[in-house]
Amino acid sequence: MTVTTEFPIPLHEYQVVPLDPKNPTLTAEQRTQLDKNIQLCRDAIVFFTAIADAKGLGGHTGGPYDTVPETLIMHGFMEHSKNGGTPEVLPIFFDEAGHRVATQYLMAVLEGDMDIEKLFHYREYLSHLPGHPERGFTPGVKFSSGRLGHMWPFVNGVAIANPNQVVFMLGSDGSQMEGNDAEAARLAVAQNLNVKVVVDDNDVTIAGHPSEYLKGFDVSKTLEGHGLTVNTGDGEDLDSLYARMCEAVTHDGPVALMNKRKMCVGIKGLEGSAHGHDVIKTAVAIEHLKSRGRDAAAEYLTTVEKGPGGPSHQGSDGSSIGKNRDLFGKIMNGILDKIPEEQRIESIRVFDCDLEGSCGLNHIRAEHPEVFVRGGIMERGNFSAAAGFGYERGKQGVFATFSAFLEMVVSEITMARLNQSNVLAHFSHAGCDDMADNTCHFGLNNMFSDNGLPEEGHDNTRLYFPADQHQFKKCLETIYSQEGLRFIFSTRSGVPDLLNEEGNKVFGDDYEFVPGKDDVIREGTAGYIVTFGETTYRALDAVIRLKEAGTDVGLICKSTLNVYDEEMMAKLAAAPAVLVAESFNVKTGLGSRFGTELLKRGFKGNYNNIGTHKEGSGGLWQQMGYQGLDSDGIMASMQKLT
């Protein structure tokens, strides 16, 4: 292991303790070193995740902090196996909760695969330490866990491919809400796979405590029902935890170890709180590290400066930023306020997927709890429930989650469409802007929701991605009462107000949102850039700069993504050049089909479409530039056409 003493937590003191699972009692020496290792690693996790908070990069502390004891016991089993002991243990710390990535980075350092200095740059742009693990991207990281509940089925396959080895997977009560895990549990039992699922059962998810909002949910009973051997105990009782893990490893077949504990145990101000799920606040980390005698680490945190902000843009008001993902709930409350309570209860239900604060639904829960459903981490079931509620005419199911999870509900979208359901679905965190969690959390394939058949115009599915807070408000107020499936997208990042050439709001008080109608932001004779969402203000800056340089390019905002405005299409078909710029997947987004539609209408000019086309590289606003979707990138792409 190569570490340096410059890192203020002395990880060079870590000594892996080889552990023979056939001996279920720790020796005094083993216990002393293991306890020292646990405290050392927990302090390190608090420290380097707090650096990210100080830089404004976000992150997650509680999950990796909590699971240190079981991770280090697993490490001991792996070391014993590596030295020729039995049973053989696959040396990979599989984890179905990607936000616990700090575990993977810490273990990569301890195993000598990554230099300790890298931990100072957790979640930074180009640091190769994104918010979720990505195989081949970070030294020492051996798998990509992606989204919650996706790993256990994968690990089952790994176990089948390695029948003579024990395969560990770190689990969580949140991940176990996902339907994939139920299927994985049944297969593991049926095939008697040697998978050991070590579940951190801390009764905490982003939106609160499952025991309160999802009454009846019990991971132990659920897994027992699937036929697993379940072993439940205190995750903070080291001797008991070790003995239970020994029992699991020596058992032939799948075992679920349920480790009960409070989240962020021992951290004043976070213990037992849902806030521990997110990144620890720097001030809390400083106080905690001081209480642990880590004065140098605490002092370092006081010197960390916030990361660089993004560039300024012409054509928009940087002093007026709207976070549309949060405004969704506030605008919805304005709509709900106008509906009599009895009618509200009869006609509306709002389904949350444990992301209420990220999608604006927390505002609805606060002001209109009578129509709010805390659905837990169950996107497929919650979308279908919203569709079922909206099955009758005059009723609306409202649903919200991250855009990355739209891919999980495509089949449910089809069934909702076939049942002629009414669903207003808000998918936030669209595109890649401001996404330090990186590739698995990019919302790139949102056009998958437009998967109905175009027979005689029967399909009334509509996709909307407004460009600023004012257009977003007008759009939502217009489409709320409409029938069918309506998808409205927003970004994690805030977006500035767009301005016209006179410096006034493009989407001001006199603006009327008309579904299917495109908006001219700037006229041009040399060609047009077609865009939407958070790419619009960047494209507007590029257009202004191109005009200043002598190329008269125009800009079209296409906020309705899957309906073609024939008047605008005729205008574009006659243009000498068209560039579609978007943060969606360049293979599946608007641009992948827009050129074909132009050709159908006689277009003979130059065409290109740019979008997200490579895996992310961490950071926040820098993600757009990395994809060539910042102002400079859009400008360069348009210059090639003109």
Side-chain angles (χ1 to χ4, degrees):
M1 173 173 70
T2 302
V3 295
T4 74
T5 55
E6 294 178 7
F7 193 76
I9 306 296
L11 287 179
H12 60 279
E13 295 179 4
Y14 180 89
Q15 296 178 26
V16 61
V17 181
L19 298 171
D20 183 353
K22 295 185 291 296
N23 297 325
T25 303
L26 292 167
T27 67
E29 184 180 2
Q30 286 174 327
R31 196 188 192 289
T32 297
Q33 184 61 51
L34 195 55
D35 187 63
K36 181 178 180 180
N37 288 346
I38 290 169
Q39 299 308 316
L40 192 69
C41 291
R42 280 183 162 171
D43 290 347
I45 287 170
V46 167
F47 172 66
F48 75 80
T49 57
I51 293 175
D53 178 68
K55 293 177 180 176
L57 295 169
H60 299 273
T61 302
Y65 176 94
D66 287 357
T67 54
V68 165
E70 46 265 55
T71 300
L72 298 191
I73 292 172
M74 288 161 53
H75 198 201
F77 291 155
M78 293 172 186
E79 185 71 10
H80 175 72
S81 173
K82 176 183 172 183
N83 295 335
T86 58
E88 291 185 47
V89 180
L90 191 71
I92 302 176
F93 302 93
F94 285 116
D95 192 338
E96 65 176 346
H99 54 263
R100 290 193 297 225
V101 69
T103 299
Q104 305 304 321
Y105 298 152
L106 178 62
M107 297 314 295
V109 168
L110 295 177
E111 294 195 306
D113 294 317
M114 187 169 71
D115 186 76
I116 194 172
E117 192 274 339
K118 294 284 288 183
L119 297 180
F120 286 110
H121 306 286
Y122 175 54
R123 291 171 69 96
E124 277 184 29
Y125 178 53
L126 297 178
S127 70
H128 284 235
L129 299 179
H132 283 241
E134 296 185 7
R135 183 183 183 187
F137 187 69
T138 310
V141 172
K142 302 177 177 70
F143 65 94
S144 301
S145 65
R147 302 138 188 180
L148 285 177
H150 284 61
M151 207 66 213
W152 190 354
F154 183 89
V155 167
N156 279 348
V158 172
I160 292 171
N162 296 273
N164 299 319
Q165 293 182 297
V166 171
V167 182
F168 274 109
M169 187 191 74
L170 291 161
S172 71
D173 51 341
S175 296
Q176 291 291 320
M177 291 183 192
E178 294 282 15
N180 278 355
D181 275 11
E183 298 179 18
R186 292 193 289 269
L187 182 66
V189 171
Q191 297 295 316
N192 197 40
L193 302 179
N194 216 4
V195 173
K196 317 302 175 183
V197 182
V198 187
V199 179
D200 179 30
D201 193 3
N202 57 21
D203 192 32
V204 165
T205 57
I206 294 175
H209 305 285
S211 61
E212 297 174 1
Y213 69 76
L214 208 63
K215 292 186 182 300
F217 174 59
D218 187 306
V219 182
S220 297
K221 290 180 180 179
T222 298
L223 294 179
E224 284 175 355
H226 292 307
L228 266 82
T229 297
V230 176
N231 188 322
T232 302
D234 182 354
E236 294 302 302
D237 184 335
L238 186 57
D239 293 301
S240 171
L241 174 64
Y242 174 67
R244 291 189 299 111
M245 290 186 70
C246 287
E247 184 179 346
V249 170
T250 55
H251 176 85
D252 180 28
V255 176
L257 276 157
M258 306 301 303
N259 296 324
K260 301 282 189 178
R261 58 163 59 90
K262 290 184 178 180
M263 173 162 266
C264 295
V265 62
I267 301 181
K268 184 180 178 181
L270 277 186
E271 182 174 303
S273 167
H275 294 295
H277 174 276
D278 209 333
V279 69
I280 189 170
K281 294 302 177 186
T282 310
V284 175
I286 290 172
E287 181 181 351
H288 177 73
L289 290 169
K290 284 182 176 179
S291 74
R292 296 272 309 129
R294 306 294 190 189
D295 293 342
E299 176 61 27
Y300 179 89
L301 289 177
T302 67
T303 69
V304 180
E305 297 180 358
K306 192 173 179 64
S312 59
H313 296 85
Q314 298 184 71
S316 56
D317 183 359
S319 67
S320 182
I321 303 290
K323 280 206 168 186
N324 290 340
R325 63 184 175 95
D326 184 67
L327 288 171
F328 176 84
K330 295 178 179 179
I331 298 166
M332 279 293 299
N333 277 340
I335 295 170
L336 296 174
D337 289 343
K338 298 174 183 176
I339 302 173
E341 183 174 2
E342 184 176 346
Q343 183 183 345
R344 263 199 319 267
I345 295 172
E346 177 70 20
S347 63
I348 303 149
R349 281 299 181 279
V350 179
F351 293 82
D352 172 51
C353 296
D354 192 55
L355 294 170
E356 57 176 41
S358 295
C359 303
L361 298 192
N362 55 317
H363 302 300
I364 301 175
R365 178 166 68 88
E367 295 192 22
H368 291 289
E370 71 279 4
V371 300
F372 189 82
V373 179
R374 301 182 77 174
I377 309 169
M378 303 182 297
E379 295 84 2
R380 301 170 185 85
N382 288 335
F383 185 90
S384 287
F389 187 86
Y391 174 65
E392 300 176 33
R393 195 168 201 176
K395 294 192 175 184
Q396 291 282 5
V398 180
F399 170 89
T401 189
F402 288 174
S403 289
F405 307 151
L406 186 148
E407 298 168 25
M408 297 165 62
V409 300
V410 170
S411 182
E412 286 72 18
I413 290 170
T414 296
M415 295 310 299
R417 182 180 293 109
L418 291 175
N419 277 297
Q420 301 170 28
S421 294
N422 300 313
V423 180
L424 173 60
H426 173 213
F427 284 91
S428 70
H429 292 59
C432 64
D433 193 13
D434 226 31
M435 301 281 276
D437 278 338
N438 226 45
T439 312
C440 72
H441 265 32
F442 288 175
L444 304 180
N445 295 312
N446 294 347
M447 300 295 281
F448 285 4
S449 54
D450 182 31
N451 60 4
L453 300 173
E455 178 187 1
E456 297 179 2
H458 290 171
D459 180 15
N460 58 1
T461 302
R462 295 293 181 266
L463 280 57
Y464 303 102
F465 200 159
D468 71 10
Q469 60 182 325
H470 306 291
Q471 190 181 41
F472 189 88
K473 183 175 188 293
K474 293 291 182 70
C475 173
L476 184 52
E477 290 174 341
T478 299
I479 68 174
Y480 171 77
S481 60
Q482 295 178 350
E483 294 185 340
L485 305 182
R486 287 135 296 141
F487 298 84
I488 186 167
F489 302 110
S490 65
T491 53
R492 182 181 186 274
S493 57
V495 287
D497 297 350
L498 298 181
L499 304 177
N500 59 26
E501 290 167 295
E502 289 73 42
N504 300 317
K505 291 183 179 65
V506 171
F507 303 114
D509 293 338
D510 59 345
Y511 170 73
E512 178 184 358
F513 182 85
V514 179
K517 181 173 177 56
D518 302 338
D519 296 288
V520 177
I521 308 300
R522 293 290 192 276
E523 286 287 3
T525 58
Y528 287 93
I529 299 173
V530 178
T531 188
F532 54 85
E534 84 291 21
T535 315
T536 310
Y537 75 88
R538 294 173 165 98
L540 179 53
D541 180 76
V543 164
I544 292 171
R545 291 164 60 195
L546 284 166
K547 287 178 180 291
E548 290 173 346
T551 305
D552 186 27
V553 171
L555 178 65
I556 307 299
C557 175
K558 185 170 179 56
S559 55
T560 304
L561 303 182
N562 67 329
V563 174
Y564 297 101
D565 178 347
E566 291 303 332
E567 181 180 354
M568 188 65 71
M569 292 300 283
K571 180 186 187 78
L572 294 172
V578 172
L579 172 72
V580 175
E582 60 185 314
S583 61
F584 286 179
N585 187 341
V586 73
K587 292 170 60 178
T588 66
L590 174 68
S592 67
R593 59 184 74 181
F594 199 79
T596 300
E597 295 300 324
L598 283 175
L599 288 174
K600 290 178 182 178
R601 293 161 177 82
F603 179 66
K604 293 181 172 58
N606 296 325
Y607 178 81
N608 193 18
N609 66 298
I610 58 174
T612 300
H613 61 283
K614 54 185 177 180
E615 294 184 359
S617 198
L620 297 173
W621 54 269
Q622 298 99 327
Q623 294 277 19
M624 291 289 279
Y626 186 70
Q627 302 291 342
L629 297 171
D630 60 355
S631 180
D632 289 343
I634 295 170
M635 187 174 177
S637 293
M638 192 63 191
Q639 285 173 325
K640 292 178 181 178
L641 298 181
T642 57

